Amino acid sequence: MPRHLAIIMDGNGRWAARRRRPRAIGHRAGARAVNLCIDWCVARGIGALTLFAFSSENWGRPEDEVGALMKLFMGALDREIDELDRRGIRIRFIGERTRFAPALQARMATAESRTARHARLALNIAVSYGGRQDIAAAARSLAEDVAAGRLRPDDIDEQLLGARVALAELPPPDLFIRTGGDVRISNFLLWQLAYTELWFTDTLWPDLDAAVLDRALADYAARERRFGLTSAQVAAPAPPDTDTLDA
Ligand code: IPE
Ligand code: IPE
Ligand code: MG
């Protein structure tokens, strides 16, 4: 069972185009799939879900589409917060949130503080998020510590840097899913996905159903995660604890 699932929710625009509808309609349909996905994670006992909702690069889309997405985020937050709170879901946002309108930033902060004590599902929404920006911010923060004399350059290793990227408090994603048929990472969690199992489907995000997610889970369960070791090493049972044997 994955402890942490990360998803690129892609294909809203194409879903709408197939119906000869504006792209914003596809995004609205995509919001329904988000709820389905959350329900599925809760039902399967998956502890953490990270959803890519808006990338740093998506700011470059036509103004009306960006505007429609902002309206959708705002509406979804207003509508869903009570339900998330009631169900014991902790919501957090990662990304450069200062780029959002103050009203939206305030909604995000309220949603986070209202659900901060919950533990059933850690729901992370990546908005105005970019993996490169995330790593750059972590590097900047380390550099500030070095400049202030709190840290020596020699102290910097993958643990220290890894502690300053987004989601550092969670295990890295075990499983990554991208809908919409494209086989790429698109600047999602670059650092955090180092050993994540990747899974791609042609299903467009608004068409998501539990069967698709179950298929991803079944494929994941059949994979051998080796983390650079050999198959034999991974299969070997843990060596006995000699301290206990001696006692
Ligand atoms: C993903 O769907 C949602 C966002 C990026 C906000 P798209 O809008 O990228 O849909 P396609 O890829 O154009 O079909
Ligand atoms: C990735 O999808 C970002 C989100 C789903 C939020 P894009 O549609 O922006 O990615 P590209 O442009 O196809 O790589
Ligand atoms: Mg897309």
Side-chain angles (χ1 to χ4, degrees), residues 54-147:
F54 192 79
S55 75
S56 304
E57 292 71 28
N58 289 150
W59 286 112
R61 290 194 179 190
E63 212 173 297
D64 63 328
E65 180 171 350
V66 173
L69 280 165
M70 294 304 135
K71 246 173 128 178
L72 193 68
F73 292 155
M74 196 81 140
L77 266 176
D78 285 343
R79 221 174 30 249
E80 306 295 340
I81 182 65
D82 288 337
E83 188 64 9
L84 294 175
D85 191 20
R86 194 185 60 74
R87 298 178 66 193
I89 296 169
R90 173 175 194 176
I91 189 167
R92 273 175 289 190
F93 298 89
I94 60 168
E96 295 176 285
R97 67 171 82 187
T98 51
R99 294 184 70 176
F100 292 107
L104 189 48
Q105 290 186 48
R107 295 286 206 297
M108 292 182 193
T110 305
E112 286 179 333
S113 58
R114 262 189 69 187
T115 62
R117 68 207 141 86
H118 296 320
R120 174 170 295 155
L121 173 69
L123 172 64
N124 312 296
I125 312 289
V127 279
S128 191
Y129 177 85
R132 288 173 169 174
Q133 290 83 340
D134 188 3
I135 295 169
R140 198 182 314 124
S141 134
L142 290 172
E144 280 162 5
D145 278 2
V146 170

Side-chain angles (χ1 to χ4, degrees), residues 9-15 23 27 53-54 58 61 65 69:
M9 313 184 284
D10 197 23
N12 295 349
R14 279 161 286 167
W15 186 91
R23 294 177 58 86
H27 295 312
F54 192 79
N58 289 150
R61 290 194 179 190
E65 180 171 350
L69 280 165

